[in-house]
Amino acid sequence: MAAALESRWSKPRIFEAYLNLVHFRGEIQGIGAAAQVLFGKSPAGLDAAESEVLAAFLPEPGAGMPHLLARACARAHRSGAVSCEAVRMAASRLGDHDAPREEPLAPQLAETLLGGAGERVQTTLDAHLQRLVRDTLRVRLAGLASHNVRDGAVLVVDNASGDVLAYVGSSGALSRAAAVDGVRARRQAGSTLKPFLYELAIERRYLTAASLLDDSPLNLDTGTGLYLPQDYDHEVKGLVSARTALASSLNVPAVRTLLLTGVEPFRNRLRMLGYEGLTQDGSFYGYSLALGSAEVSLWEQAQAYRTLARGGWFSPLRLRMDAPHVAARRLLPAGASFIVSDMLSDPSARAVTFGLDSHLNTPFWSAVKTGTSKDMRDNWCVGYSSDYTVAVWVGNFEGDAMHDVSGVSGAAPVWHDVLVALQRGRARSPSSPPSGVEPADIRFTPALEPPRREWFLAGTRMTRVRAIPVRSRVARLLSPANGMIVAIDPDIPLRAQRIPVRAQGASAGMMIRYNDSILGPASQALFLTPVPGAHRLALLDAQGRELDRAWVTVR
């Protein structure tokens, strides 16, 4: 190893690496940490006497003060750069320091709770757990440093009491903005809002966990143009069950579910659950609300997921020991909450996206959801066991994107390590299904997914799920999408620019009308030459009745 280093690194580089890795006292590693902890300054600010004291640590970091002083004075005498008295004075500033000074355990929380000098507040935090969570976060973030990841935050909540047991607001020295409170800061939610969307759809009986949703290209007309949601891997899966769509975090089925529930009812449900940052009405967020375009905080995430963990019962989180315990009130029906928790706990259902071996799997029952915001600026992993809810955010406070880091590779390892440590020796089974929830052994025709036991709300139970053949589906226009805007390219001959016109489920006799004339049979592939202006396409049945329409603008 020495020969390899000598052949590739210069002496200054080797020495720099040594100074950054060497241990000084207790858990102090590196010259930067030693200078800061022992003398309260950066290495550049050390004087000759302080430098001699630090150098004296190196042969025996655990040596007592007499040994340390003797070694430092001997070094000073040999170098002649500083007197032994100056060394003694520098060492005296260390006191009887045999371990590094403890950094504040929860500085962001202290800023929030303490109003003035001398004030004392007793919190619900568990000091041992706080240290464990803080150190776990830092270790995992250090492993992601090459992927441009610096910041993170973790919140741990006791499900029964609502007490916050750990509140880690930042990554400390790893961060460029360590004073920012990542627990309270609002960031884009990514896919973490999907459980509440599916809960709403199941609660209103628009869907069951076995209902089939189409994961295929979707074009939606909005006030600002077309919205074309895509899955994370840019692939389409075809027909999938709602269970698979949620657990594997597929985007297009989530948007189709939002079309069932409506944007405004979903936005209202999120507000009811405590997502107070959603101050605009549903039209402001649009269809992208299903994919987490809204900004939320880690505090709000933990509070909402704890509600799911408790079968729909909500009570505010508690930080101060002198704060009263507020009586819980029901926000979500027990049946739909149970089914969604079961979907989020299913390793087989999440295998489509995450595989069978990921940090989302635990050796005990747990339900979990990840989220990744646009351009990989935010990673989330929020989930719960029977006893605890753990919420993790990973990203950069400055907003710059991470490099190839998703929720399952960024935030999930922290979530997994913390929850496993919490549950060690006390793993429990999931709660029993509430009244109004029925099991059934189901089969899919065709066999899109394996047979399984599924949970249903009373009155929605089924044993066979049949996919409607394409030829039997309602006929509609596939292309062009309603609201599409087409621009003519001046560098390409007009005869080479054509707009494809296609219909799905068309039968004999159906026709395509273009403005006021018939373009051709709907069962054939047709093409339009673009002409500037607004144009109306319509799908007509054999009797000339309009079945579907689309407006296209050519510029």
Side-chain angles (χ1 to χ4, degrees), residues 523-544:
S523 56
Q524 298 179 7
L526 304 171
F527 297 90
L528 278 175
T529 299
V531 177
H535 305 281
R536 186 174 187 268
L537 288 156
L539 174 63
L540 308 178
D541 66 10
Q543 288 72 45

Side-chain angles (χ1 to χ4, degrees), residues 434-501:
S435 60
V437 174
E438 304 172 348
D441 294 322
I442 63 169
R443 291 181 175 273
F444 292 86
T445 305
L448 298 166
E449 296 185 10
R452 63 171 182 254
R453 169 152 287 205
E454 190 57 272
W455 296 101
F456 297 90
L457 295 182
T460 65
R461 183 176 178 275
M462 63 183 80
T463 57
R464 188 170 294 275
V465 182
R466 297 181 182 274
I468 300 174
V470 173
R471 63 180 180 275
S472 303
R473 298 179 193 174
V474 175
R476 63 186 181 91
L477 285 170
L478 285 181
S479 175
N482 186 38
M484 179 179 285
I485 299 173
V486 178
I488 297 174
D489 191 327
D491 296 327
I492 300 176
L494 189 60
R495 65 179 180 277
Q497 302 185 57
R498 297 194 296 172
I499 303 172
V501 179

Side-chain angles (χ1 to χ4, degrees), residues 187-210:
R187 307 287 296 207
Q188 201 173 65
S191 295
T192 54
L193 302 182
K194 288 177 183 175
F196 309 107
L197 172 62
Y198 283 91
E199 187 282 328
L200 181 61
I202 291 171
E203 170 191 333
R204 297 191 174 182
R205 298 173 185 252
Y206 300 147
L207 293 176
T208 71

